[in-house]
Amino acid sequence: MTSLVGDASAGAVVRHYELTARVEQLTLPSGQTTQAWTYGSLPGPALEAELGDVMEVVLNNRDVAAGVTLHWHGYDVPNAMDGVAGATQDAVMPGESMTYRFTAAQTGTYWYHTHQDSAEGVRKGLYGTFVVHHPTAPRADTDIVVAGHDLSGLGLLGSSDRATKHTATPGSSVRVRLINTDSVQQRYLIQGTTFKAAAVDGTDVNQPQDVDGKLLRLGAGGRVDVAFTMPESPVAVRSDAAAGAVVVIAPSGVTAGDSEDLTPEKPGAGVFTTTPVLDLLEYGKPLEEGKHAVDNGDGSELIRPATGEEPITREEVMVLDRQFRFVDGIPRYAFTVNGAAYPLVPSIEVAEGDTVKVTVVNRTSEPHPMHPHGHHVQVLSRNGVVPSGSPLVLDTVDVLPGEVWELLLHADNPGIWMDHCHNLDHAAEGMMMLLKYQGVSSPFVHGGHSGNRPE
Ligand SMILES: [Cu+2]
């Protein structure tokens, strides 16, 4: 798999970034201090590119003793760039460096994080945002990226556990890119305007309708882009995962004091449990017959046909459960896939070109945000119900207790890929497996004395 590096084209614009992982003492706007592990800031540097650019990201590790990597969440990079310690590389230890290079071949909202000791590393701050724009499509006048995170118990929106203020001209377009960088679900409340959920996991929603009076629920690792036209009064974005934080977008031209008075008040905590959640399986519109792309006038996005036109060549079932199993040689009440804890979970083996139907069954009492690396999946059904809205293409599928999801995966990115629960504590307790292409092998090993601990 080390030869699977893609073919970053000569002549393309190169976006060069250098990230240095470090341990640092941080003081948040509330005055709370915490020891964090960061890529130089919290969140890490906001990476941006245009479609077709070459990303060239140098990762240095100054002093994170556990080691670090860069994994591009939701970005279907060539396998050797996937950043999984023990599967696609060795962890980058203190004093070491590694350069990641790949073509920005998808537009939308993504994020990056360490995949070495990820349960601890991501929680402590080794994550950042990654946005790829369409070169010719009109951009929102105000474009805000908000990563929601629980930093060892401190709820953050962006880099703040208090208010973050932006301004926008009334009547102009605003896009707020919500990213759940946490290990558990987050609910978001948009106050002061109706909005559209314009994109999910980096893929545009086909003909999204206005949403009013509903929350957005993001599974761990998931993203939703919120779009609205700036009203004459402030808009507030709040999350149940960050009680003290709020993102305020105030109309420009209104004085600060007025803006403060007009900002929608913080609702009682009950709002997050009593307000209905937008169901993305019923949102937007199906593609017209014969159409394979979402085109809302801001750059079309190809959606491969879900059924019918490409026969399913392989079927896999993943039963998620809790069982007593050994994890790293220690008996645990483990999180299992098909009766086993990683690394004993049998891999899914595919051939390039396969069209794979994956059925995920959650037999536990907790959500499992299942995340296949290197691939997106299209939702065929949830509990037997076919999506009635836009095609739903995800890289993180939040499978709730008792649910059964049928997903379609196009095996078009050869390599050895992780497929795991993005509740990283569950992953560390066994809920991981590999998706392996026939004929691909990895020289990297994990566990034991290798120092590689992807979970
Ligand atoms: Cu889980």
Side-chain angles (χ1 to χ4, degrees), residues 183 320 335 362 364 366-370 398-399 420-427 431:
S183 268
L320 311 177
F335 288 88
N362 182 354
T364 77
E366 293 170 78
H368 297 298
M370 297 307 291
D398 203 25
V399 183
H420 66 94
C421 180
H422 223 281
N423 182 322
L424 298 173
D425 296 307
H426 295 179
M431 199 168 272

